[in-house]
């Protein structure tokens, strides 16, 4: 009897446990997002099937061909299949759709085609999405997309190249781009940075600009210290100011012509130029003060340009040599960075402080250059006024 009563109870316990577990699995399945139910087969995966280029100011669309030429501010149209599945792969509704170049994300070049779509509305069928869709990308060059263009500039083989060719793709920010499986669809495009004619005109203008400054320096006293009698000695501080003025002006025009961006002249470059201006101002004041004490100071005599800027008048100065070498190294780095990135570099506070310390070191040594020691100084000669005989004495 006991065995017969226990058997139904045993099966009731098993049935209750199965019911509880089945109910939990069903509830967990309902709580999972709808995107997890998507099982993309090869045919359902998004694919790029066409590329076109369109000018923003006209309605004409270039025909699809190999190496589509894409100019700055052109509209690049990418046609994909299965846009619904592609949208449901979006990590979040705030994720941006960006352009990829050979798998490299071009941060700042976004498409706003899906900004107003949400995965939930698409999955519930509230928003109609066709089987194929054109996705636009404006190839704008502004402060937001500046990093993307820098990445493209770095991929060029030579500093004078005005274009780059790559395989274009699209993808969600922080994810892999669409992998192209159809070999018949050519996704190769060529992005043109600037007009070569304008570049060479700028290069000729810059060379003439440098030659003009060299001519002024050789024929005038624009970078001289003492210019009262004959040719004065060349000044290191004024040479430094002219050096950085030529480099900064040339780099600004270069980046402006090639990128149409005016924000390449950043605050660190202005601070660097301000250090040169301040150094020249303080050095000019020191020279002026020395001129008021001719009995204490022996003016530097002109020998050669290199000897004038590196010496104190008698010997080569380590302070002047250090300042000159630092400016040359800084200037070479400035030019190379500007050419490679089409924008001026942003210097850290450490480099700016180091440049200021170098200039201060030079100014401190300039205070005692060509100054006669105290024990050897001669008192200034005081000329006695000549007494003219009065008319009464003559009479």
């Amino acid at each position: 009897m006991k065995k017969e009563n226990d058997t139904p109870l045993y099966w009731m316990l098993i049935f209750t446990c199965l019911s509880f577990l089945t109910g939990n699995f069903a509830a967990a399945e309902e709580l999972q997002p709808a995107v997890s139910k998507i099982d993309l087969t090869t045919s359902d995966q998004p694919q790029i099937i066409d590329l076109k280029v369109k000018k923003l100011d006209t309605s004409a669309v270039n025909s699809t061909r190999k190496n589509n030429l894409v100019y700055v501010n052109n509209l690049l149209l990418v046609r994909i299949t299965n846009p619904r599945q592609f949208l449901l792969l979006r990590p979040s509704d705030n994720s941006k759709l960006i352009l990829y170049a050979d798998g490299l994300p071009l941060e700042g070049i976004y498409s706003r085609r899906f900004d107003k779509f949400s995965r939930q509305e698409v999955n519930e069928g509230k928003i109609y999405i066709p089987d194929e869709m054109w996705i636009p990308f404006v190839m704008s060059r502004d402060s937001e997309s500046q990093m993307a263009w820098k990445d493209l500039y770095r991929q060029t083989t030579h500093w004078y190249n005005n274009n780059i060719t790559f395989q274009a793709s699209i993808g969600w920010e922080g994810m892999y781009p669409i992998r192209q499986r159809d070999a018949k669809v050519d996704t190769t495009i060529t992005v043109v940075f600037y007009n070569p004619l304008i570049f060479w005109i700028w290069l000729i203008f810059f060379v003439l600009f440098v030659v003009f400054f060299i001519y002024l320096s050789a024929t005038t006293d624009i970078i001289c210290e003492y210019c009262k009698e004959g040719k004065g000695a060349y000044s290191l501080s004024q040479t430094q100011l002219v050096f950085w003025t030529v480099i900064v002006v040339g780099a600004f025009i270069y980046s402006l012509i090639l990128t149409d961006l005016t924000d390449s002249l950043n605050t660190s470059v202005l601070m660097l130029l301000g250090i040169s201006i301040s150094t020249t101002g303080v050095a000019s004041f020191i020279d002026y003060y020395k001129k008021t004490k001719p009995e204490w100071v022996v003016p530097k005599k002109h020998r050669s340009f290199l000897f004038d800027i590196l010496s104190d008048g008698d010997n080569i100065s380590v302070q002047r040599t250090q300042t000159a070498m630092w400016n040359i190294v800084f200037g070479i780095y400035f030019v190379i960075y500007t050419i490679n990135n089409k924008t001026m570099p942003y210097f850290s506070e450490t480099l700016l402080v180091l440049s200021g310390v170098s200039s201060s070191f030079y100014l401190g040594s300039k205070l005692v250059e060509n100054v006669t020691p105290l024990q050897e100084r001669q008192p200034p000669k005081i000329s006695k006024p000549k007494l003219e005989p009065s008319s009464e004495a003559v009479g």
Side-chain angles (χ1 to χ4, degrees), residues 31-52:
L31 292 175
Q32 290 179 350
V35 68
S36 63
K37 298 180 180 180
I38 300 175
D39 184 16
L40 295 181
T41 61
T42 303
S43 59
D44 294 333
Q45 292 181 356
Q47 295 290 314
I48 298 177
I49 59 175
D50 201 359
L51 287 175
K52 289 184 180 180

Side-chain angles (χ1 to χ4, degrees), residues 42-193:
T42 303
S43 59
D44 294 333
Q45 292 181 356
Q47 295 290 314
I48 298 177
I49 59 175
D50 201 359
L51 287 175
K52 289 184 180 180
V53 181
K54 181 178 180 181
K55 295 182 179 180
L56 294 179
D57 54 348
T58 63
S59 58
V61 178
N62 297 336
S63 59
T64 304
R65 63 183 186 279
K66 187 177 182 180
N67 293 350
N68 281 312
L69 294 180
V70 182
Y71 293 89
V72 179
N73 294 326
N74 278 178
L75 187 66
L76 176 63
L77 298 172
V78 182
R79 190 179 183 183
I80 66 171
T81 60
N82 301 314
R84 180 179 179 275
Q85 285 76 4
F86 180 64
L87 180 60
L88 293 177
L89 294 175
R90 190 178 191 178
S92 67
D93 291 339
N94 296 326
S95 299
K96 296 180 180 180
L97 180 59
I98 61 177
L99 186 68
Y100 282 76
D102 289 336
L104 178 68
L106 301 180
E107 299 289 345
I109 302 181
Y110 306 116
S111 176
R112 305 184 184 278
R113 186 67 176 87
F114 296 112
D115 283 0
K116 297 182 179 180
F117 294 176
S118 67
R119 292 186 298 171
Q120 182 177 357
E121 292 177 340
V122 172
N123 191 54
E124 293 176 355
K126 296 181 179 180
I127 299 177
Y128 170 74
I129 297 180
D131 295 335
E132 298 178 357
M133 181 179 293
W134 287 99
I135 301 178
F137 289 88
V138 179
M139 303 297 292
S140 60
R141 191 156 50 187
D142 49 27
S143 57
E144 185 180 10
S145 60
Q146 188 172 5
M147 292 303 300
W149 289 100
K150 284 183 179 181
D151 292 335
L152 292 177
Y153 297 145
R154 294 190 186 101
Q155 303 303 319
T156 55
T157 55
H158 300 287
W159 60 271
Y160 52 82
N161 288 145
N162 72 320
N163 62 78
I164 182 173
T165 301
F166 57 85
Q167 297 291 329
S169 184
I170 63 174
W172 298 111
E173 191 175 24
M175 297 184 65
Y176 290 105
I178 293 178
R179 291 188 299 175
Q180 192 61 32
R181 292 178 173 82
D182 190 356
K184 297 180 180 180
V185 179
D186 188 9
T187 59
T188 304
I189 64 173
T190 299
V191 177
V192 181
F193 302 138

